[in-house]
Each structure stands twice: as C-alpha cells, then as structure tokens.
Amino acid sequence: MMRLGHGLLLLCLLLPLSLQAEPPTLKNMMEQETPAETEEPAPDKPASEPTVVDEYERGSPRSSMEGLLHALRHNDFERAAHYLDGRNLPKRVAELPLSLLAEEFKLILNRTLWVDLDTLSESKNGLTGDGLPPYRDLVGRVPLGSRQVSVYMQRVPRGDGQYIWKISNATLGEVPNLYEQYGDGPIGEYLSDHLPEFEILGLQSWQFVAVLLMFLIAYLISLPLFAISKWLVRRRYPDNAQLQRFISGPLRLLFVVLVVREAFPLVRPSIEARAIAEGHALMILALVWVMVSGMELARERLNRSFQEKGKDQGAQLLKPLFTIGKILIIIIGLLMWLENLGFKATTILAGLGIGGLAVALAAQKSVENLIGAITLYLSSPVKVGNFCKFGTQMGVVEEIGLRYTRVRTIDRTVIHISNATFVDLQLENFSEREKIRYSPALNLRYDTPASKLRGVMDEITQALKDHPMTHESPLRVRFHKFGPNALQLNVLSYIQTTAFPDYLEAAEELNLAILTILEQHGVAMTDTTQHRWLDTPKAPGGQ
C-alpha cells in the first residue's frame, strides 16, 4: 500500500484540471524562468533615463514585482512587506501585520494569477497610455465572487523625495477577502499546522495528503464496481482472460483518473501545479492504454475469425498492421500532451506527413542514414563543433543531419558525408582531449660533449616545469638514442589547454626557451640536409 501511495503521489501532479481561470502553459513558465541572454530596453524606458537607487529595487513596476516574487518564493515575508503599501488601509486590514498580509498574498498569487514580468514596465514612471492614472500600473485581475479585484502596482513617495513602486493599498485591502476564497481554509490550515512544511510546484504538504486520499478513495470505490464487472465478463466469456485484464487494468485507471480529476480543484492547487496538470498527462496515458488494449482485443478477435475461415495470410498481416496503429496512437497521444503543455507539436506531424514518413521508411539508404544519425546522437563519438579526423580528412563538424554530416575542413571547404559512411569511419576527436602534447624533436650534433648535454637536459627540464601551462606529469627530457646523423633527445610534456591557439602560444615560448638554452651552452642542432659532393674530372692539359 505504501508503494502504491508513493506512486499515486507522484502521479497526482500530472492530473488534468478544469478551472475557470486559464493557467499559463508549462512552456510559458519555462520561458519566463529562463532569462534572456541579452535584453533590450523596454519601449517605454529610454536608454538614458535615470533610475531610482533603492535598497529593494523598487524603482520600476517590473523590478519591484520581481523583488516581491523573489521574497515570496523564499518565504521571506518580512522582506516582502517592504513591497506592500500599508498606508490608508481599512481598519480591520491595518490591524494585521504586513508580513502576514504578504504570506496570504503569496497563496493568492500562487493559486489565481500568473505574473508575466515581461508585460510590466521598466520605467520609473510606469506604463503610459494604458488608461490608468500615471501613478498606477495593472498587474492582473483576480476573481472574487461576482466581481474582479485588480492587482495594481502603485507609485508612492519613499519619504526622501524619491518615488518607488509597491503593491497598491487598494489591492492590499482586498487580501483578507481574497484569502477567504483562495486560502487554505480551516481543514488546510489545520493540516498545515500538523504536517511537515515543504512545497513542490506551489503545492503544500496538506495538498499532497489530500490528493493521496483522493486516489485512495477512488481506488476503494473502484474495487467493488470492477469486481462485479469482471465476474459478469468471466461468466459470459470464461476463456477470455485478456478482456478481464483490460477491465482491471486500463479501464480501472481511467475510472480513478476521472474521479480524482473532478475532485482535484478542491485542494486549491497553485498555478504551477495547474500548468502541469493542464498537460492531461495521466488522462492521455489512461486513454492511450485503453485504446491500445482495445486494439489488441480487436486483433485477437479478428485473428480467431481469420483462422476459423482459413485465411492464415490475413491473420499474419494483422500483427504488423495493428502494431503500426498502436504506434500512431502513442504518437498522437504524445503530440496531444505536448500541445497541452504549450508546444506546437502538431506542426511537426503536418510537416512530415504520413506519406513522407512512408516514403522515408521505403528508402533503404535513407533508413541507413537515419540509423547512422541516431547512432551518432546516442553514442556521440563526435558532436557539432568538434574538431576531428575522419579517414584521411580533418575538419570541424558543423551539422549532423538526418542524411548527411557536414564538416568544414581546415582548407575551409565543406564536405557532406552520409551518416552511414561517416559512422563506419575511424573517428579521432581532437576536441575531447583534455590537454595537448608538446614533444619537439631535438637532434644535436655528434660533437656535443656529454658534460654540456647533461646541463642542456637539466635546464630544458626546469624550463618545462617553470612554464605555467605545462602539466606536472608526465614531463621528461631523455637522451633517447644515437641517431644516424644526430644525438636524439626525447622531450615529452603536455600543455594544459584544449584551445589550439593557446597551445601554439605556449609552444612558441617553450621553443624559444629551449633555443636560448642551446645557445647559452654552445650546443647546436644538426643539419640533416644531405649533400652530395661530385668530383669534376679535369680537362686534358690541366685546364
């Protein structure tokens, strides 16, 4: 039962919900919570407009509301009180601490109003041309019975000659009335006092308990109903175990979802929870399960019918046909869920088209390239932007498409290579290295004395250690061998960078340091150029 309870607790967040106030979609929430990389000045705020210096950033409606929401999100109600205009409040409201009003205001906002900060003005003078007094900006409206309560930001004096923006006292005066309609209520307040405090997606602990009880009650109600249904089906179709599983599985889940769906608004969920709930994920899951199981029942019935009529070939074709049908149902369910979350997923289906999908599946090469693209994305031997070597070519991967991978070579030409071919090549990814090897070839003359050679090796080793970009290990300078034309030194170290221009700069510094050491010790590198001396025969007579 505890395992079932945990599972239901997780699923309750995905319930569909139908309320009068349409909440924002999950996509809207994600877009607002993800800050833009660059922000342009608002149209109503000139770039040269001086700003109001304020400890709580209350110089404009947007910055003030942003500070208030931040304080409420962290349950810092003492700080949130600084964003409320407590002047000239009704007597029964004025007797309440501003911190308590801030706490009640948080619940009201969480459950009724999604504040879109992008619509608020960044100007110290507020939004102009909205039909409101110049000292007041509208944030939104909250239903209260048969009327609407406007949530205003109001420009008020700070006391030192400057003006700042706060939640209007007209709005603040309605907070107790709004809390009576949208607050926790007596049961919620009682449970809140006796349960641990935590909050996920705006849902408090008592709301999770209430939803869990809803699932439990709906499950208990379904037990006798579906037990009777299974008994009737067993009597009518004693050999059809699949139909019995269909009743006790997907149909029961659909029944539980519908029951909890109707009761879910009673917990007064937050807008964040409602945005997720409006995805109808659990409802779509139940419907897809019902339809897929129903298709399986139909396939079994048709299969028996074909076999009884001796149409074995038709029976064999049923499974792939129904498999395609089930896949389409699942895809449609997924697209519906994405649409409910605010993502225009149906345009993807319209762009591809069922006919285009069939043609793509019929083309062998296209399928191979598609599988190659999937392999490249899953195994990720290279990624877009990586510098790699493939076969005998080198370049930067610019795009991994469904058919081709586009690579820009070091000669700045572009190569389009099919994914099926590209994935079979030996790929060397230079971008994945964590450091770059520095190993210059030092070939010294044979007339170099051993005493000088030892000093040269020690100073080169010290130069490598002293450089700030060389890795401490491995680092070595060794007299490797007697080469055909020179004494060969083996130098091995690593530059701690993945950027090739930085490596070239460090290598240049080390090369110059090594050259200086050789000059100081009077040691020269050998010239490996081969010369051929030809004896020219003398002409007769000595000329």
Side-chain angles (χ1 to χ4, degrees):
M1 181 62 71
M2 288 299 294
R3 185 176 299 177
L4 175 62
H6 289 302
L8 294 177
L9 182 62
L10 293 175
L11 292 174
C12 73
L13 295 177
L14 303 179
L15 285 171
L17 179 64
S18 176
L19 294 177
Q20 289 182 354
E22 181 179 355
T25 63
L26 182 62
K27 180 175 179 291
N28 300 141
M29 295 168 54
M30 293 171 61
E31 289 176 347
Q32 176 157 312
E33 291 179 359
T34 303
E37 294 182 1
T38 57
E39 294 184 0
E40 297 180 358
D44 56 336
K45 178 185 177 183
S48 59
E49 178 184 310
T51 58
V52 178
V53 179
D54 184 71
E55 178 184 0
Y56 299 98
E57 300 293 335
R58 296 169 297 183
S60 69
R62 177 171 177 174
S63 63
S64 181
M65 177 57 71
E66 191 171 4
L68 172 62
L69 294 178
H70 184 271
L72 295 178
R73 188 178 300 113
H74 292 83
N75 294 327
D76 190 353
F77 302 115
E78 294 296 334
R79 182 179 179 86
H82 293 279
Y83 297 90
L84 308 180
D85 184 11
R87 306 171 305 156
N88 304 322
L89 293 174
K91 182 177 180 180
R92 74 183 188 95
V93 182
E95 294 175 352
L96 301 175
L98 286 178
S99 59
L100 177 61
L101 292 175
E103 185 175 357
E104 294 180 352
F105 190 57
K106 174 188 176 180
L107 287 179
I108 296 168
L109 287 182
N110 283 350
R111 297 172 183 178
T112 60
L113 184 62
W114 175 257
V115 180
D116 188 356
L117 294 174
D118 293 335
T119 62
L120 299 181
S121 174
E122 294 184 277
S123 171
K124 68 176 184 179
N125 298 318
L127 188 65
T128 58
D130 56 355
L132 294 175
Y135 57 85
R136 180 173 286 177
D137 275 13
L138 178 66
V139 178
R141 292 184 173 87
V142 178
L144 178 61
S146 59
R147 62 188 180 94
Q148 298 277 334
V149 174
S150 298
V151 178
Y152 291 117
M153 296 294 295
Q154 186 160 300
R155 191 164 179 252
V156 299
R158 189 171 60 182
D160 58 355
Q162 294 288 342
Y163 284 83
I164 56 177
W165 289 86
K166 293 185 176 182
I167 296 294
S168 168
N169 51 9
T171 301
L172 204 60
E174 297 286 353
V175 166
N177 297 328
L178 291 170
Y179 186 76
E180 290 181 5
Q181 180 171 334
Y182 297 107
D184 290 340
I187 298 177
E189 291 179 356
Y190 175 81
L191 293 175
S192 298
D193 294 337
H194 294 81
L195 290 174
E197 289 189 10
F198 62 87
E199 186 174 312
I200 301 176
L201 297 176
L203 290 181
Q204 298 171 324
S205 56
W206 74 269
Q207 294 172 317
F208 280 103
V209 173
V211 172
L212 182 60
L213 290 175
M214 291 179 188
F215 271 106
L216 180 59
I217 293 172
Y219 179 75
L220 294 176
I221 293 174
S222 69
L223 287 178
L225 293 178
F226 285 88
I228 296 173
S229 301
K230 286 181 64 177
W231 178 74
L232 294 175
V233 169
R234 193 181 302 114
R235 290 192 59 185
R236 180 69 176 84
Y237 305 101
D239 298 330
N240 198 337
Q242 189 173 6
L243 180 58
Q244 298 175 26
R245 291 194 298 268
F246 174 75
I247 294 174
S248 61
L251 279 185
R252 176 178 289 182
L253 175 62
L254 182 60
F255 173 81
V256 172
V257 170
L258 290 174
V259 171
V260 180
R261 176 178 181 267
E262 295 301 320
F264 191 51
L266 297 177
V267 302
R268 300 178 179 180
S270 67
I271 289 183
E272 293 174 280
R274 286 164 54 193
I276 296 178
E278 285 297 328
H280 298 261
L282 194 55
M283 175 65 74
I284 292 174
L285 175 62
L287 289 175
V288 168
W289 192 12
V290 167
M291 296 178 69
V292 169
S293 300
M295 290 188 66
E296 190 62 24
L297 286 173
R299 187 187 71 82
E300 289 292 334
R301 185 179 181 85
L302 288 174
N303 188 41
R304 288 195 301 267
S305 176
F306 284 159
Q307 288 180 349
E308 290 174 358
K309 296 178 181 180
K311 299 180 180 179
D312 295 336
Q313 184 175 1
Q316 293 177 358
L317 292 175
L318 285 177
K319 187 172 183 179
L321 290 177
F322 274 81
T323 300
I324 294 175
K326 288 187 284 187
I327 292 174
L328 290 177
I329 290 175
I330 294 173
I331 292 175
I332 292 173
L334 178 62
L335 292 176
M336 290 177 60
W337 178 61
L338 292 175
E339 283 281 347
N340 292 337
L341 293 181
F343 299 92
K344 299 302 180 182
T346 51
T347 56
I348 301 176
L349 184 62
L352 293 176
I354 303 301
L357 182 60
V359 172
L361 293 175
Q364 181 179 0
K365 286 294 183 181
S366 298
V367 173
E368 291 179 358
N369 292 327
L370 178 61
I371 294 175
I374 295 174
T375 303
L376 288 173
Y377 278 112
L378 293 180
S379 60
S380 299
V382 293
K383 300 176 182 177
V384 175
N386 286 167
F387 178 69
C388 65
K389 180 179 181 181
F390 53 101
T392 59
Q393 298 284 340
M394 300 175 64
V396 177
V397 178
E398 290 190 340
E399 181 184 3
I400 301 176
L402 295 179
R403 294 190 60 192
Y404 295 102
T405 296
R406 188 177 68 196
V407 182
R408 186 165 304 269
T409 67
I410 56 178
D411 294 328
R412 308 307 298 162
T413 60
V414 176
I415 296 178
H416 290 83
I417 182 169
S418 64
N419 294 330
T421 303
F422 188 71
V423 78
D424 288 335
L425 294 175
Q426 180 178 350
L427 300 177
E428 184 177 359
N429 194 340
F430 295 104
S431 298
E432 292 294 328
R433 58 188 176 186
E434 75 282 4
K435 50 193 175 183
I436 303 178
R437 182 171 65 96
Y438 173 74
S439 182
L442 297 182
N443 298 316
L444 305 183
R445 290 167 55 102
Y446 262 111
D447 57 359
T448 303
S451 58
K452 289 187 176 181
L453 183 60
R454 172 59 64 183
V456 167
M457 293 169 57
D458 292 340
E459 291 195 22
I460 292 177
T461 302
Q462 190 61 42
L464 293 174
K465 292 180 179 180
D466 292 342
H467 196 279
M469 294 186 66
T470 56
H471 199 274
E472 60 183 8
S473 177
L475 190 152
R476 65 172 181 263
V477 179
R478 292 288 184 267
F479 178 21
H480 180 47
K481 64 179 180 179
F482 296 93
N485 302 305
L487 304 177
Q488 295 182 357
L489 298 186
N490 178 268
V491 179
L492 178 62
S493 63
Y494 286 88
I495 306 299
Q496 298 184 89
T497 182
T498 58
F500 196 68
D502 296 340
Y503 162 77
L504 290 178
E505 182 177 351
E508 180 184 68
E509 294 173 355
L510 291 172
N511 289 338
L512 291 173
I514 292 173
L515 188 59
T516 301
I517 293 171
L518 295 177
E519 290 176 354
Q520 291 175 351
H521 286 267
V523 175
M525 299 180 67
T526 185
D527 184 2
T528 58
T529 305
Q530 296 183 356
H531 300 278
R532 177 176 295 178
W533 298 90
L534 300 178
D535 293 332
T536 305
K538 294 182 179 180
Q543 296 180 354

